[in-house]
Structure formats: structure tokens, C-alpha cells
Amino acid sequence: MQIIIYNQKGGVGKSMIATQLALSFDTTIVELDPYGMLSDTLGKDIVYKVGLNENVPNIKEGDVIYDFGGFDDLRLDEVSKNADLIIIPFNPTINSLGTTLKSYKRVKEQNVPILFVVNAVLNDKDVEESINFIKENTQDDIEYFVIPHTRALQTVENEGVSIIEFANTSGLRKHTYRKISATMKDLVKTIEEYL
């Protein structure tokens, strides 16, 4: 399993999604974001940090999640050769959609299945409008998954734990985090369909 998480827009949830997927699939993250701090949070056993001017290790087999930074990284072309899925997270806001379209056009060239993840959603209307905008501007039938806005995901990212595991640590947490935990389980199931 090789998954790429990519959007040239920063702050859309790439590292949060990489963290949750890596912990759910028990796999390694290759962090290509020069400003990323996943190795500090999760540790060097889970995260392999690659500097901006360093080559990405050529991983042909095994499970890995590539967490790209918020810019057009030319290393995407090489990494895509073994990828099973490219995830494009984005926030359903005006300032995120233009860069997300640009990012989609960039990854579409790779001939790898693409899943949009609409992140930090406050209402369904935002999802509908943003997905319609992408469809109208690409003329493509796209697949997407929705993650609602919640501080819980930031909390667990800072702790370096899975929301699913975190929710099961006590009865109160299980109740409090049941919706976002179920959402992340559904995301994992959705991704498994591509593998």
C-alpha cells in the first residue's frame, strides 16, 4: 500500500490525515514537508523525514504514506510510480479551491486513483458547492470523502495517537468522540477499497 497525500495549499489537513492513516494502517510516513513536525510528534520509528533537497527513497514494496508539503514538489512524479492512491485534502473555502484545482490537474497526470477529502466541514452546503465547483472546472466525475470540523483531530495529532484508539481509552471519550471516530473508520474503509 502506497498512499500520497498532496495539495499545494498548506493548512488543509495533509499531516493530520497522514497521521491518522499511518496509525490506523500501522505504516510509515515519509514526510516531504520541510515545515512538517511529524517526526517530533510521532517519532522516528514511524516518520522518515526527507529534506527539501534530498531524494526520496525508492520504495517499491511495503506500506508507506507520503506526506507532501504545500507546494508543487517535483518528487511527486517519482513517488507516483508505485502509488495506489492519491488523496487531495482541502478545506471547502474560496481560498482553498483554486490551489486544490491546480493540485488536481498536477496529480491527474500521474494516472493514479484520486480521492478528494473535504476537511474541516462546517455545513453540507459548503461541501456541495465546493464539489460542484471542482466538477464544473475539471469536467471529471470525482470521488470524495467528508471530514467534519472538530478540534479532536488536532488534539490527537498533537498527542501522536489515532482518534480511534483515543476514543476507546475511556467511556467518556468513547461517547464524546464517537462521531469523529466513526468517520475515521469509514475513511479507512473507503481507502481500503482502492488497495
Side-chain angles (χ1 to χ4, degrees), residues 60-175:
K60 293 185 179 178
E61 294 181 16
D63 296 340
V64 65
I65 295 171
Y66 294 94
D67 180 23
F68 278 85
F71 58 94
D72 185 8
D73 193 328
L74 297 177
R75 298 175 293 183
L76 173 71
D77 300 320
E78 190 62 34
V79 171
S80 295
K81 291 178 182 174
N82 297 311
D84 298 297
L85 176 65
I86 297 174
I87 295 174
I88 303 177
F90 73 97
N91 302 107
T93 61
I94 296 292
N95 66 350
S96 179
L97 287 173
T99 308
T100 298
L101 269 179
K102 185 177 176 184
S103 301
Y104 174 68
K105 289 175 183 173
R106 172 79 167 92
V107 299
K108 187 178 174 184
E109 300 170 7
Q110 307 305 318
N111 293 318
V112 175
I114 297 167
L115 175 66
F116 284 88
V117 174
V118 193
N119 188 33
V121 171
L122 294 171
N123 64 63
D124 293 338
K125 184 179 179 190
D126 291 342
V127 174
E128 182 182 344
E129 289 177 356
S130 60
I131 293 300
N132 286 340
F133 177 84
I134 292 169
K135 286 181 178 179
E136 288 170 12
N137 284 277
T138 63
Q139 299 299 306
D140 291 336
D141 187 26
I142 62 168
E143 296 185 27
Y144 66 94
F145 187 88
V146 176
I147 298 176
H149 174 71
T150 176
R151 290 187 201 164
L153 291 173
Q154 186 62 53
T155 299
V156 294
E157 184 179 349
N158 293 341
E159 297 288 326
V161 297
S162 159
I163 188 69
I164 297 166
E165 290 176 19
F166 187 73
N168 287 324
T169 57
S170 75
L172 180 59
R173 285 183 179 162
K174 193 170 196 171
H175 175 75

